[in-house]
Amino acid sequence: MQTEFSKLTDDQWFDKVIGKDGPALFGLPEDRIQISTTGRAGEPVLRDGFRFYQFARRMLQEHGNGLSEDTAVMDFGCAWGRILRFWPRDIQAKNLFGFEVQERLLDYARQQVPAATYRVSQTRPPLPNNGQKFDLIYAFSVFSHLPEALTNEWIEEFSKVLKPGGIACLTTRPRAHIEIAGTAASKGAHSSFYAGLITDKDEALASYDKGNFIFYPADGGGSLSAADYGEAIIPLAYAEANWSQHLEVLGFFERYSETYLQPCFVLRKPR
């Protein structure tokens, strides 16, 4: 489909969105809000989000229903619109949806990135989607924090709201997240708390390698209690054994970004 920005290359589009050579197309919340959700602020955070947008778009085109006038995209856990802001070049605003459990973050998204429809989601299904079906659902750094039962509930829900041939791209923590716990690599301001939850690395690694879902509860603050939030490290073997009844597991991608350490499951609803 054609939009006013369709002829821009990816690099030109990124520069347009962030305002490299003029005013930014969309605003940003203050740094403390960005840091509270991503650990950083400014262009590096948007660059990570852009790389994931590129990856999800490629999966949609190569393995899903492609891009057309009717393509519908859901950002599940959109927060303040870090990734969602990159889609208006590709799809109509009426087909772009952001779902988020924290109303305060949606307020920032509505203010800064108005080119979408936003809805407050409850912690558990069903989605307030009003019958809307989607070609792509992506969740960036959401399934890296949900416990096993809740994760499986959402996988089943996605199978209901995806169109046939629709794609889901869901990131989680990698095996390396267990390996670096307690080392210098885990001492960043945003990661040290999470890495500190892993108290027995050898046990966790052995369990991961057996195909088990690894989860450490943590108080996420606000509406995110320890019962529903923490650190999740999900192996491919678990996804294949537990999610295939609802969605095809197409792959487990670990190299879509040079800087962001969260591999991505790519799932598809059978046609």
Side-chain angles (χ1 to χ4, degrees):
M1 64 159 292
Q2 294 293 312
T3 72
E4 61 179 306
F5 303 113
S6 293
K7 294 183 180 180
L8 297 181
T9 67
D10 276 9
D11 287 342
Q12 290 171 336
W13 175 234
F14 180 77
D15 290 345
K16 179 74 173 178
V17 171
I18 69 169
K20 182 177 180 180
D21 299 315
L25 198 59
F26 304 109
L28 288 169
E30 55 264 42
D31 285 0
R32 66 177 181 85
I33 298 298
Q34 297 178 55
I35 293 169
S36 73
T37 57
T38 69
R40 294 180 295 167
E43 183 175 335
V45 168
L46 293 179
R47 177 66 72 179
D48 281 341
F50 188 71
R51 290 191 179 106
F52 185 75
Y53 147 78
Q54 290 177 303
F55 171 78
R57 185 187 62 188
R58 188 171 77 248
M59 294 298 101
L60 173 67
Q61 293 174 308
E62 294 180 359
H63 302 291
N65 296 329
L67 285 169
S68 74
E69 286 289 319
D70 299 319
T71 297
V73 173
M74 179 207 301
D75 186 326
F76 182 76
C78 66
W80 43 267
R82 170 174 46 155
I83 300 170
L84 187 141
R85 68 187 57 219
F86 296 114
W87 284 99
R89 180 184 63 165
D90 305 307
I91 66 173
Q92 301 177 81
K94 69 177 183 178
N95 289 333
L96 181 58
F97 295 82
F99 289 77
E100 170 61 48
V101 298
Q102 298 189 70
E103 179 74 51
R104 68 181 184 88
L105 295 178
L106 274 188
D107 286 341
Y108 289 105
R110 293 185 184 106
Q111 294 166 15
Q112 307 293 353
V113 193
T117 297
Y118 296 101
R119 292 177 182 156
V120 177
S121 172
Q122 300 303 308
T123 304
R124 284 180 160 73
L127 280 165
N129 63 312
N130 296 338
Q132 175 75 42
K133 299 289 186 178
F134 300 93
D135 296 284
L136 172 67
I137 298 171
Y138 64 86
F140 189 68
S141 195
V142 175
F143 289 86
S144 49
H145 295 296
L146 301 185
E148 181 177 3
L150 186 53
T151 290
N152 292 337
E153 288 178 31
W154 281 116
I155 296 297
E156 183 175 1
E157 176 71 1
F158 290 167
S159 74
K160 297 175 182 177
V161 302
L162 280 169
K163 298 177 186 177
I167 294 289
C169 296
L170 318 172
T171 72
T172 187
R173 295 291 191 189
R175 188 181 189 277
H177 189 61
I178 304 172
E179 296 173 333
I180 68 172
T183 69
S186 70
K187 299 303 183 183
H190 196 61
S191 61
S192 58
F193 169 73
Y194 293 127
L197 298 172
I198 303 173
T199 55
D200 191 328
K201 291 167 57 173
D202 291 339
E203 180 183 6
L205 290 170
S207 185
Y208 181 96
D209 291 339
K210 290 178 182 178
N212 294 325
F213 191 112
I214 310 298
F215 180 74
Y216 297 90
D219 186 355
S223 60
L224 304 173
S225 70
D228 299 323
Y229 185 85
E231 284 295 274
I233 309 108
I234 311 171
L236 175 60
Y238 180 89
E240 292 175 333
N242 292 274
W243 300 347
S244 296
Q245 61 181 310
H246 301 297
L247 297 169
E248 300 176 71
V249 180
L250 298 183
F252 187 58
F253 296 83
E254 300 188 77
R255 296 291 181 267
Y256 63 85
S257 172
E258 298 175 358
T259 59
Y260 204 80
L261 191 63
Q262 284 201 25
C264 186
F265 291 105
V266 178
L267 315 173
R268 181 172 61 199
K269 183 171 182 174
R271 291 185 172 89

